[in-house]
Each structure stands twice: as structure tokens, then as C-alpha cells.
Amino acid sequence: MPLAHTVARSCRVSPLAVLATLCTLFAASSTPAATPLELSHGLDAERAEKLGQLAERFNKSQKEYEIRLVARTGNSTPALLNLATHEDIARFADKYRKFRPLYQMMSQAKENFPADAVAPDMRAGVADAKGRMFALPLALSTPVLYYNKAMFKQAGLNPEQPPKTWPEVQAAAGKIREAGIECAYTTSWPAWVHIDNLSSWNGAPTAGPKNTLAFNGYLQIRHIALLASWVKGTYFTYYGRRDDADRHFAAGECGMLTSGSQLYATLRNAPALEIGVAPLPYYDDISGAPQRTLADGASLWIGAGYKPAQYKGAAKFISFILSPETQLELTLAHGYLPLTGAAQGAVQGKLLQEEALAFKVASPGLAAAGKTAPLPPLRVSQIEPVRIIIEEELESVWNNRKPAKAALDTAVKRANAVLPAALKAMLPQ
């Protein structure tokens, strides 16, 4: 007896209905499975969930490929796709031979790759001297000033008039402390904010001739000395070298914070926390200031040794990320800077939305406020051995072991000693 009739008799249903069901099951089982594409990351649970949302959107947009998130472990072999965060991008660059150049993969996969459309500042740290991109900048931000509006009101400050200059930050911090609030000001990423961006924003060089560093000029010494006085006066609370200060500010403990613009996507959802966003402070007695802030953040690297079909899928994922629709989503939902002109235009159309507030504040700084300020040839926060040295010396200032000038002079001397080897180990120049 045919299988359909046997099943129909036992289930008391129409043989034709059973045949239709069996055909459907057979067709489903014969559909080719999507090619899995592993994306390795080292994110915490909250940020991994956001990355998973991006992967799920790609998976639903087509049926050929499926992005699967995997947690990175130790010195494991790179996956097909690898997310390097702000913390570990230098380690990725140090081992770039284990990765396949992005521009090469996109070309061989015959996938359109508008690398020239990505702003030069966004390519810093992931491109060679010819501008070819070894990796894709994925989640970038630039520093801004956050402030707690409730604390401003408590301190008698106008919550709609945030400080614009560092002296105004000092005055606000004094009022906040007088109001009995213990943490008036704090910062994340001190080398990125207070050396790289302080210098670029105020037009001071950080590099000398022939690939040397010189971030111990008048402006840098003056600024670090000012922060040292804030530590002594309890205006500045230091929580560490990375983003620990973000969590203290988000918990409602601090009046002001300098950190990346992407943090706003998290802060705006914090319960009972009214947050203001303002441009990074500058020194108004410096001629030409403010000039330009610098973008930095996570990037996507391609592992070497995979099959052509997998690279084809990875290339399609890159194109998906660079589409204006995805760029808009990454900016509005996650706070990241749009990478291309088309994406920036899409975001500009949404500037009245609360979600785009941080981009609205940050974008004039990235555009150098209409000026032609050059990009710095070297960024200390992107050279891991140099960043560590700088933050060690800054901590000696915060701990009152060295004055600002001595610490920065020592940092420059130590940094230049390790710089040649560090540059050689990174991306080919």
C-alpha cells in the first residue's frame, strides 16, 4: 500500500492532504542550508546582544548565508569575521598577517566596495599608506561631554547651558562639589580624550619629525597640570584607563563625563537619568581652537585561510553594513558614527529625533567646524605600547608622584624608544 494511504488510514485524514504534507517536508529538507559565517567577538553581554541584532538583520535579509556569533577565546585562530574593539585593535594590527586584507577580499568576491566613500578619519588605524583598507571600521565614535542635568540643577547651574571650555568645566565642577556631590567630573579613555583629542581639538601637534612623538608641548602640559589640580581639589575622580567611568556616570554618581559619543545610545535609556550632551571642551585662548576631534572604535577583520564561498558571504555582509539603511540603524539605535557621505546624509534627515542627538553634537567636530585642520600622522591611543606608557605616566600625575611636565617628558622619551618596533609590528606603512 502506498505510504500516503497507510498514513491516511492510521491518522484518518485525506491521502491527498498527506501527500501534500510529505511533499512540503521533502522540499524543505532538500533546500540547501545557509552557509554559516562565524563572527568572533570579545564583548560583554549587553554589547554582544546589540551585535547579535545586526547579525540577525543580515540573516533575514537573504537566505544564502547565516552569521553566527562566537565568543573569542585566548589566542585562538581568527574566525572568518573578527570584531576588534577599541581595547584590542592594536593587538589585531600586531598580528595582521593572520588576517586577509579587506580590500583584497572585496575585489576577489566581485562585491562593490566604496572605500573612497569612507572618510579618511574613519579609516585611521585600518588602512595602509595607500589608503587601502585592511579592515572595516564598524562602530566608531568621537569624544563628547556628557552632563547630568539633575545635578546641574542641584548645583544651581543652567542645564541648558553646558560648559564649552575647560575653565568653564572647572567652574561647573566647583559648583557640583559645593552641592555635596562627590564625583564632579570623570573621564574614560584618558589617552584618547586627553592627549589625542585634546591636541587635535586645540590644534597642537602630537608628532615630531620622521615618525617621532612630541605630545609634551605647552598645551598638553597645561591641560594635564589643570587635571592634576582637579584631582587634588576633588573635582576630578579617576576610575581607570578604559571605560569604567561610563558605568559610574550611568549609575548617576557623577556630574560630568568625557567619553565616546556612542555611549549616548545607552545613557538615553537609563531610568530616571536626564542626560545632556555637549561638544568636547576646548581652550578659548588658543588661536584657531576648536579644530577637529578624532574618530575611533571597533573594526571588523577578515581571517585568513577560508573558502571562496565563505569570503563571498563575508563580502556581502560588508556591503550590508555599508548600506545607508544599516548605517542609519547603527547611528540611531547604537550611537555609532555613519561612515559614508550617503549614510551621513540619511542621518542628517533624522536630526530632529532624540536618537540622533549625540551625532548632531559630535559631527561638527569631525568636520573640523568647516576648517581644514589636518589629521595627525600618529595617534598615541592606537599604538598599544605607547598608550600604556602614557597612561602609566598620567597615573603618576593623578597619584601626585610627578608634576605634569616631568610625566609627559618621560612619556615622550619612553614612547619614542618603543615606537619603531611598535610601528613595524603594525600594519605595513
Side-chain angles (χ1 to χ4, degrees), residues 148 151 245-254 267 270 273:
N148 185 312
M151 288 185 177
D246 291 0
R247 288 182 280 277
H248 288 273
F249 183 81
E253 299 173 14
C254 301
L267 293 176
L273 196 62

PDB file of all heavy atoms in Angstrom, residues 148 151 245-254 267 270 273:
ATOM      1  N   ASN A 148      24.983  65.515  33.790  1.00  0.00           N
ATOM      2  CA  ASN A 148      23.764  65.111  34.480  1.00  0.00           C
ATOM      3  C   ASN A 148      22.940  66.369  34.771  1.00  0.00           C
ATOM      4  O   ASN A 148      23.327  67.207  35.587  1.00  0.00           O
ATOM      5  CB  ASN A 148      24.126  64.380  35.767  1.00  0.00           C
ATOM      6  CG  ASN A 148      22.932  63.809  36.482  1.00  0.00           C
ATOM      7  OD1 ASN A 148      21.933  64.496  36.672  1.00  0.00           O
ATOM      8  ND2 ASN A 148      23.020  62.558  36.895  1.00  0.00           N
ATOM      9  N   MET A 151      21.860  67.023  38.414  1.00  0.00           N
ATOM     10  CA  MET A 151      22.967  67.518  39.253  1.00  0.00           C
ATOM     11  C   MET A 151      23.282  68.979  38.936  1.00  0.00           C
ATOM     12  O   MET A 151      23.652  69.753  39.826  1.00  0.00           O
ATOM     13  CB  MET A 151      24.196  66.637  39.067  1.00  0.00           C
ATOM     14  CG  MET A 151      24.071  65.266  39.692  1.00  0.00           C
ATOM     15  SD  MET A 151      25.601  64.317  39.568  1.00  0.00           S
ATOM     16  CE  MET A 151      25.144  62.823  40.460  1.00  0.00           C
ATOM     17  N   ALA A 245      34.594  54.635  33.924  1.00  0.00           N
ATOM     18  CA  ALA A 245      33.914  55.881  34.273  1.00  0.00           C
ATOM     19  C   ALA A 245      32.513  55.947  33.670  1.00  0.00           C
ATOM     20  O   ALA A 245      31.610  56.564  34.255  1.00  0.00           O
ATOM     21  CB  ALA A 245      34.750  57.067  33.810  1.00  0.00           C
ATOM     22  N   ASP A 246      32.322  55.315  32.502  1.00  0.00           N
ATOM     23  CA  ASP A 246      30.993  55.306  31.872  1.00  0.00           C
ATOM     24  C   ASP A 246      29.945  54.733  32.812  1.00  0.00           C
ATOM     25  O   ASP A 246      28.835  55.258  32.931  1.00  0.00           O
ATOM     26  CB  ASP A 246      31.014  54.469  30.592  1.00  0.00           C
ATOM     27  CG  ASP A 246      31.838  55.097  29.476  1.00  0.00           C
ATOM     28  OD1 ASP A 246      32.397  56.195  29.682  1.00  0.00           O
ATOM     29  OD2 ASP A 246      31.932  54.477  28.406  1.00  0.00           O
ATOM     30  N   ARG A 247      30.293  53.634  33.464  1.00  0.00           N
ATOM     31  CA  ARG A 247      29.329  52.953  34.331  1.00  0.00           C
ATOM     32  C   ARG A 247      29.001  53.799  35.570  1.00  0.00           C
ATOM     33  O   ARG A 247      27.857  53.804  36.038  1.00  0.00           O
ATOM     34  CB  ARG A 247      29.862  51.581  34.716  1.00  0.00           C
ATOM     35  CG  ARG A 247      29.847  50.585  33.563  1.00  0.00           C
ATOM     36  CD  ARG A 247      30.327  49.211  33.972  1.00  0.00           C
ATOM     37  NE  ARG A 247      31.781  49.139  34.034  1.00  0.00           N
ATOM     38  CZ  ARG A 247      32.562  48.925  32.979  1.00  0.00           C
ATOM     39  NH1 ARG A 247      32.035  48.799  31.775  1.00  0.00           N
ATOM     40  NH2 ARG A 247      33.868  48.854  33.117  1.00  0.00           N
ATOM     41  N   HIS A 248      29.994  54.486  36.107  1.00  0.00           N
ATOM     42  CA  HIS A 248      29.735  55.346  37.264  1.00  0.00           C
ATOM     43  C   HIS A 248      28.829  56.514  36.889  1.00  0.00           C
ATOM     44  O   HIS A 248      27.932  56.884  37.651  1.00  0.00           O
ATOM     45  CB  HIS A 248      31.057  55.853  37.850  1.00  0.00           C
ATOM     46  CG  HIS A 248      31.842  54.800  38.566  1.00  0.00           C
ATOM     47  ND1 HIS A 248      31.649  54.494  39.898  1.00  0.00           N
ATOM     48  CD2 HIS A 248      32.812  53.961  38.122  1.00  0.00           C
ATOM     49  CE1 HIS A 248      32.477  53.522  40.254  1.00  0.00           C
ATOM     50  NE2 HIS A 248      33.193  53.173  39.200  1.00  0.00           N
ATOM     51  N   PHE A 249      29.063  57.082  35.715  1.00  0.00           N
ATOM     52  CA  PHE A 249      28.207  58.179  35.267  1.00  0.00           C
ATOM     53  C   PHE A 249      26.788  57.661  34.994  1.00  0.00           C
ATOM     54  O   PHE A 249      25.795  58.307  35.374  1.00  0.00           O
ATOM     55  CB  PHE A 249      28.793  58.817  34.006  1.00  0.00           C
ATOM     56  CG  PHE A 249      28.006  60.000  33.512  1.00  0.00           C
ATOM     57  CD1 PHE A 249      28.169  61.248  34.086  1.00  0.00           C
ATOM     58  CD2 PHE A 249      27.080  59.851  32.483  1.00  0.00           C
ATOM     59  CE1 PHE A 249      27.434  62.345  33.642  1.00  0.00           C
ATOM     60  CE2 PHE A 249      26.347  60.940  32.030  1.00  0.00           C
ATOM     61  CZ  PHE A 249      26.521  62.190  32.611  1.00  0.00           C
ATOM     62  N   ALA A 250      26.671  56.510  34.345  1.00  0.00           N
ATOM     63  CA  ALA A 250      25.358  55.941  34.039  1.00  0.00           C
ATOM     64  C   ALA A 250      24.583  55.594  35.300  1.00  0.00           C
ATOM     65  O   ALA A 250      23.351  55.581  35.299  1.00  0.00           O
ATOM     66  CB  ALA A 250      25.518  54.701  33.161  1.00  0.00           C
ATOM     67  N   ALA A 251      25.311  55.310  36.396  1.00  0.00           N
ATOM     68  CA  ALA A 251      24.660  54.997  37.671  1.00  0.00           C
ATOM     69  C   ALA A 251      24.221  56.261  38.412  1.00  0.00           C
ATOM     70  O   ALA A 251      23.684  56.171  39.523  1.00  0.00           O
ATOM     71  CB  ALA A 251      25.606  54.181  38.548  1.00  0.00           C
ATOM     72  N   GLY A 252      24.451  57.421  37.823  1.00  0.00           N
ATOM     73  CA  GLY A 252      24.023  58.664  38.454  1.00  0.00           C
ATOM     74  C   GLY A 252      24.948  59.163  39.528  1.00  0.00           C
ATOM     75  O   GLY A 252      24.533  59.920  40.410  1.00  0.00           O
ATOM     76  N   GLU A 253      26.237  58.774  39.462  1.00  0.00           N
ATOM     77  CA  GLU A 253      27.181  59.146  40.511  1.00  0.00           C
ATOM     78  C   GLU A 253      27.966  60.415  40.206  1.00  0.00           C
ATOM     79  O   GLU A 253      28.524  61.027  41.123  1.00  0.00           O
ATOM     80  CB  GLU A 253      28.165  57.996  40.752  1.00  0.00           C
ATOM     81  CG  GLU A 253      27.516  56.703  41.208  1.00  0.00           C
ATOM     82  CD  GLU A 253      28.507  55.548  41.269  1.00  0.00           C
ATOM     83  OE1 GLU A 253      29.724  55.818  41.219  1.00  0.00           O
ATOM     84  OE2 GLU A 253      28.065  54.387  41.352  1.00  0.00           O
ATOM     85  N   CYS A 254      28.058  60.810  38.936  1.00  0.00           N
ATOM     86  CA  CYS A 254      28.946  61.905  38.540  1.00  0.00           C
ATOM     87  C   CYS A 254      28.202  62.991  37.785  1.00  0.00           C
ATOM     88  O   CYS A 254      27.233  62.725  37.066  1.00  0.00           O
ATOM     89  CB  CYS A 254      30.081  61.372  37.664  1.00  0.00           C
ATOM     90  SG  CYS A 254      31.099  60.112  38.474  1.00  0.00           S
ATOM     91  N   LEU A 267      22.956  55.683  27.485  1.00  0.00           N
ATOM     92  CA  LEU A 267      22.550  56.620  28.527  1.00  0.00           C
ATOM     93  C   LEU A 267      21.113  57.096  28.366  1.00  0.00           C
ATOM     94  O   LEU A 267      20.417  57.316  29.355  1.00  0.00           O
ATOM     95  CB  LEU A 267      23.492  57.823  28.535  1.00  0.00           C
ATOM     96  CG  LEU A 267      24.936  57.565  28.949  1.00  0.00           C
ATOM     97  CD1 LEU A 267      25.759  58.843  28.817  1.00  0.00           C
ATOM     98  CD2 LEU A 267      25.013  57.028  30.374  1.00  0.00           C
ATOM     99  N   ALA A 270      18.681  55.030  30.232  1.00  0.00           N
ATOM    100  CA  ALA A 270      18.841  54.830  31.668  1.00  0.00           C
ATOM    101  C   ALA A 270      17.642  55.410  32.412  1.00  0.00           C
ATOM    102  O   ALA A 270      17.238  56.542  32.149  1.00  0.00           O
ATOM    103  CB  ALA A 270      20.128  55.482  32.153  1.00  0.00           C
ATOM    104  N   LEU A 273      17.347  59.222  34.519  1.00  0.00           N
ATOM    105  CA  LEU A 273      18.623  59.891  34.283  1.00  0.00           C
ATOM    106  C   LEU A 273      18.451  60.825  33.092  1.00  0.00           C
ATOM    107  O   LEU A 273      18.321  60.380  31.950  1.00  0.00           O
ATOM    108  CB  LEU A 273      19.720  58.863  34.002  1.00  0.00           C
ATOM    109  CG  LEU A 273      21.169  59.349  34.097  1.00  0.00           C
ATOM    110  CD1 LEU A 273      21.484  59.818  35.517  1.00  0.00           C
ATOM    111  CD2 LEU A 273      22.131  58.236  33.706  1.00  0.00           C
TER     112      LEU A 273
END
